Amino acid sequence: MSASAYPLLFSEWKLRNVTIANRVVFAPTCPTWVANPVEGVFTDQAVAYYEERAASGLGLIVIGANMVDGKGLYAHLNFPGLWDDRQIEGLARVREACHRHGCKLAVQLLHAGLRNMVVIQKDPGYDLDADWFTVAPSQVPPGEWPNAPMPKELEEHEILELVRAFADATRRAREAGLDGVEYHLAHGYLPWQFLSPLTNHRQDRWGGSLANRLRFSIECLRAMREAATDDMFLGYRINSTSFWPGDLEIDDVKEAIRAIDDAADVDYVSVSAGVHHSYIHTPMTYEPGWEREYTREVKTVTDKPVFAVGRVTNPGIGEEILAAGDADAILLARQLFADARWVEKVREGREEDIRRCVAANYCWRNVIAGGRVQCVYNPEVGRERQWGAGSLVRVADPRTALVIGGGPAALEFARIAAARGHAVTVLEREPETGGHVRVQALLPDRQELGQIAVWLAEQASKNGAVVRTGEEVTEDRLDEVLAAERPDHVVVATGASYRPDGWQGQTASPVPGWESGNCSSWDAVVDGRATASGEVLVVDDLQDIAGPLTAVKLARDGASVKLVTRWPMVAMETMPEVYYLWTRRALLEAGVEVLTDLLPTRIDGRSVELVNVYDPARVTRLDADAIVFNTGRRSENRLYHALKERGVSVEMIGDAVAPRGTYEAVYEGHRAGRRL
């Protein structure tokens, strides 16, 4: 299919006096393409990043999370800003790049309020006069983490200064030549903190009734409208529902939207959900377009265009939402991290070539750690200046490359090297390619991860690579394989294996007596190489999603499961990816018993001895028909060393070098494919 199959998605429309080519909008996200958070100035990489997406045919880009107050930095996160005139020039260059391709550009304005984090301000090298507190309508701390800092309650003059800050930021957007601005009234940030009775306990004109709680946003929107030209559109983003006990839900929000329509000259409503990040970055189990039920409700109370978001990776879902009248424009967020050329591929009828977002949430994991947004299997994100569209140049002297292994690193190497004209053959020992993502996709509610391997393999084949499965390369067969394939270069991408013996970092040794028990690694249980039933003990040291979801799978299959870890909680590594909530719910629903602070020290048949890591004299003994370990991995790279001994041109990539994650594997495969 092509653009003609999606007449609504590719229909022209207007916001105020601005004509927009289609209804595909890059949602406001946190790209962090600034040199540093203190200056908040867009870099050349920001220009390349947004131009790459604009060039694909997007109708509108809304740049997310531009801070309006230099005193309210969002911790060490590299957010852009519009609090200083020195930030105008960088934004203007982004606008010029987008306009070159007919794409309109707006900017979202943000103050995080109580969710700001005073980190940079406390650095001894920073301004000695910087404030060491956050601000909010009332002294209510963030509810997402323990002992969160209590904010300073804003005084009247400070509130008015912040209203002016939103207006001044709008003026800077106007001077940068932007087409519009968006007010961030969602996700628990400062404007929502004023609106919500959960966080606004004021007794003055800024709190109490809905009209008073909305006053801050109304004043901001009016000031922003006054600071903008009449040709610029003004919109706002708001939660449809918060999914937070005691906070506003859809009926409250509809009342607020009616009031905003009556009091402010706005041009659209962008609808999102969630306070704070659990529902903003929804998991892969959520169906595409899941938020349409909320936009449908919003459209009953406003005649302004309504934007819908929510895992729209397939253009058919977007067209369906528009056809049903549930929204007037479709927002893509994570999907445009995964594939900057989404619009182009849809328009050209190449939907099968779209690299679909699998909701792994590696993007947010990287941002919340203070890094730049990344995609778990698109290493071009953030490297558009070097690796953007048109940078894969075919080589003058093609080589023959043999890739041993068929995981993400191997497949990405094959995809890139073949695109450059090299003759690439991939040999995978398993019946299917995919390596670790293939196995992880067998876990409960993780099926979507398998799309990574499917897309990589299909694209590698389309580019001319030959992918053969069921062909194991062993040291004994190595000479035979080399003679048959006659490669100029060999890439070893044989990955890593999970250990069945309980080896982990604290002891750097297997659990004594593991041979006497029915012990296996989690992946062997999940892919059927081992069985575990009856009373099962899952020992989790890695704290990722594999241990808990293996426990869930076994419990759903009828086993009585205990999940044991030496750490104070389980699934800690899922928190930056916003999967902790869903993982804990799955454990509860499956009836898995969670035991923390326990380290296995000996196995004797069915008996497992564990000690409390804080008081080793406290010993717990548990019976288990099967013991499943998610503890340690080791690289499988014997073939690399054997090839080096033979003097063959060879390199290692991915987990064969050192066990890590999908992102690192794909990146190394991509880089090696470009280097060949």
Side-chain angles (χ1 to χ4, degrees):
M1 289 189 280
S2 63
S4 60
Y6 308 106
L8 297 177
L9 203 59
F10 286 95
S11 62
E12 188 177 272
W13 61 304
K14 292 186 75 170
L15 280 177
R16 205 172 188 88
N17 298 315
V18 178
T19 300
I20 301 172
N22 58 60
R23 295 171 188 265
V24 185
V25 180
F26 189 9
T29 57
C30 307
T32 66
W33 306 125
V34 294
N36 61 70
V38 175
E39 297 175 1
V41 174
F42 279 125
T43 62
D44 290 343
Q45 168 53 35
V47 177
Y49 172 85
Y50 286 111
E51 183 165 17
E52 182 95 349
R53 285 149 182 82
S56 78
L58 279 169
L60 170 64
I61 291 173
V62 182
I63 299 177
N66 288 253
M67 310 301 289
V68 299
D69 183 3
K71 295 182 295 184
L73 298 178
Y74 203 171
H76 55 295
L77 308 187
N78 290 286
F79 280 28
L82 271 181
W83 68 77
D84 191 300
D85 285 358
R86 287 172 292 186
Q87 296 159 333
I88 296 173
E89 191 270 337
L91 183 57
R93 290 195 298 119
V94 175
R95 183 264 304 161
E96 290 168 4
C98 292
H99 280 188
R100 273 197 295 272
H101 303 281
C103 177
K104 305 304 182 183
L105 185 68
V107 65
Q108 182 191 66
L109 303 181
L110 168 69
H111 194 296
L114 63 87
R115 286 187 170 82
N116 280 331
M117 292 173 276
V118 183
V119 176
I120 293 173
Q121 294 90 332
K122 291 183 179 180
D123 188 284
Y126 195 63
D127 182 359
L128 297 179
D129 293 322
D131 294 332
W132 283 16
F133 53 80
T134 61
V135 297
S138 303
Q139 286 203 318
V140 177
E144 299 97 73
W145 65 89
N147 197 29
M150 190 70 76
K152 175 189 183 294
E153 183 174 299
L154 284 162
E155 300 174 52
E156 174 82 11
H157 73 278
E158 293 172 314
I159 295 173
L160 297 177
E161 287 171 4
L162 289 175
V163 172
R164 175 48 50 192
F166 277 94
D168 288 344
T170 301
R171 186 260 304 167
R172 295 183 182 103
R174 182 191 75 211
E175 293 181 9
L178 267 65
D179 302 290
V181 287
E182 178 176 290
Y183 178 69
H184 199 337
L185 178 49
H187 303 161
Y189 295 124
L190 183 67
W192 182 270
Q193 291 158 28
F194 270 99
L195 178 59
S196 171
L198 189 68
T199 48
N200 186 344
H201 298 175
R202 301 178 72 97
Q203 300 301 313
D204 59 6
R205 71 191 188 110
W206 305 100
S209 67
L210 173 65
N212 282 354
R213 286 184 281 112
L214 258 181
R215 189 182 305 278
F216 178 74
S217 290
I218 296 296
E219 292 299 321
C220 285
L221 287 166
R222 286 174 172 170
M224 291 167 68
R225 179 73 272 165
E226 187 174 341
T229 68
D230 192 55
D231 285 338
M232 291 176 67
F233 56 80
L234 169 62
Y236 65 98
R237 193 170 214 200
I238 192 168
N239 290 345
S240 55
T241 182
S242 69
F243 298 111
W244 192 285
D247 208 339
L248 300 176
E249 299 300 341
I250 184 64
D251 289 339
D252 308 302
V253 172
K254 286 163 65 175
E255 189 176 355
I257 290 170
R258 286 192 193 96
I260 292 172
D261 272 3
D262 290 341
D265 184 7
V266 296
D267 300 300
Y268 72 81
V269 185
S270 179
V271 180
S272 187
V275 178
H276 193 233
H277 279 86
S278 290
Y279 287 87
I280 303 172
H281 309 292
T282 44
M284 56 189 71
T285 52
Y286 273 54
E287 66 180 24
W290 70 274
E291 291 189 49
R292 63 189 296 182
E293 62 180 280
Y294 297 108
T295 57
R296 184 186 308 132
E297 285 285 307
V298 168
K299 282 186 66 64
T300 65
V301 297
T302 183
D303 59 359
K304 310 295 183 185
V306 174
F307 296 4
V309 72
R311 297 220 60 226
V312 179
T313 62
N314 185 326
I317 299 297
E319 183 76 10
E320 184 183 314
I321 291 171
L322 296 174
D326 293 339
D328 302 285
I330 302 299
L331 293 165
L332 304 185
R334 292 174 291 178
Q335 177 55 53
L336 289 178
F337 300 157
D339 197 332
R341 316 300 292 190
W342 189 91
V343 174
E344 177 185 296
K345 290 175 181 179
V346 173
R347 190 186 297 277
E348 295 176 356
R350 297 190 294 118
E351 291 178 41
E352 71 281 358
D353 291 333
I354 292 172
R355 178 170 17 207
R356 299 194 189 279
C357 170
V358 298
N361 287 341
Y362 189 84
C363 46
W364 180 245
R365 179 188 186 92
N366 225 48
V367 169
I368 201 67
R372 319 287 178 168
V373 72
Q374 301 286 270
C375 172
V376 72
Y377 77 124
N378 181 9
E380 296 168 18
V381 175
R383 302 175 181 89
E384 286 83 1
R385 292 176 66 202
Q386 303 93 342
W387 289 356
S391 64
L392 279 181
V393 180
R394 293 184 72 84
V395 295
D397 184 19
R399 302 179 71 188
T400 299
L402 174 66
V403 186
I404 304 174
L411 295 173
E412 179 69 355
F413 173 88
R415 184 180 78 88
I416 296 300
R420 297 182 61 230
H422 295 295
V424 183
T425 299
V426 177
L427 301 183
E428 164 59 45
R429 71 180 180 186
E430 300 295 335
E432 299 176 52
T433 58
H436 67 266
V437 296
R438 176 186 62 82
V439 182
Q440 289 173 6
L442 299 174
L443 288 165
D445 305 322
R446 300 291 283 183
Q447 293 89 339
E448 190 113 345
L449 275 180
Q451 175 63 28
I452 294 175
V454 170
W455 187 85
L456 290 173
E458 288 178 348
Q459 295 298 308
S461 297
K462 278 191 172 186
N463 288 347
V466 175
V467 180
R468 305 207 304 258
T469 58
E471 293 197 28
E472 183 174 11
V473 180
T474 63
E475 289 184 69
D476 292 341
R477 290 192 61 230
L478 198 51
D479 292 327
E480 172 192 336
V481 171
L482 291 174
E485 302 297 334
R486 302 177 64 82
D488 300 316
H489 184 66
V490 181
V491 178
V492 175
T494 43
S497 60
Y498 285 88
R499 299 184 61 139
D501 56 11
W503 190 102
Q504 46 81 28
Q506 175 145 326
T507 61
S509 63
V511 178
W514 73 272
E515 306 93 334
S516 69
N518 179 17
C519 297
S520 57
S521 59
W522 74 267
D523 60 324
V525 170
V526 169
D527 71 8
R529 288 177 288 130
T531 58
S533 58
E535 292 185 322
V536 179
L537 192 66
V538 177
V539 180
D540 182 21
D541 190 66
L542 299 183
Q543 287 289 311
D544 58 11
I545 208 163
L549 289 192
T550 299
V552 169
K553 172 179 170 53
L554 293 171
R556 289 179 180 176
D557 289 344
S560 174
V561 184
K562 291 181 175 66
L563 177 62
V564 177
T565 183
R566 67 182 168 103
W567 301 103
M569 58 189 288
V570 295
M572 285 190 291
E573 276 295 290
T574 69
M575 297 183 79
E577 293 159 357
V578 203
Y579 268 92
Y580 183 77
L581 169 65
W582 323 107
T583 304
R584 289 294 298 184
R585 282 182 177 172
L587 287 167
L588 284 169
E589 291 167 0
V592 174
E593 183 180 355
V594 175
L595 303 172
T596 61
D597 307 333
L598 295 178
L599 176 72
T601 52
R602 179 164 296 280
I603 297 172
D604 184 6
R606 291 187 71 255
S607 178
V608 183
E609 178 184 277
L610 307 102
V611 300
N612 187 293
V613 292
Y614 305 110
D615 183 2
R618 297 191 180 205
V619 178
T620 299
R621 289 181 175 82
L622 299 173
D623 290 335
D625 298 309
I627 303 151
V628 180
F629 288 110
N630 180 41
T631 51
R633 290 193 288 167
R634 58 188 166 203
S635 294
E636 299 293 347
N637 53 29
R638 293 182 299 277
L639 292 177
Y640 168 77
H641 297 290
L643 287 160
K644 280 195 75 174
E645 289 173 0
R646 286 166 169 79
V648 174
S649 173
V650 63
E651 67 180 311
M652 277 191 298
I653 58 174
D655 288 349
V657 179
R660 288 156 294 159
T662 306
Y663 173 74
E664 292 83 359
V666 175
Y667 173 81
E668 290 181 5
H670 189 101
R671 182 178 61 188
R674 284 181 178 267
R675 284 177 175 174
L676 184 65

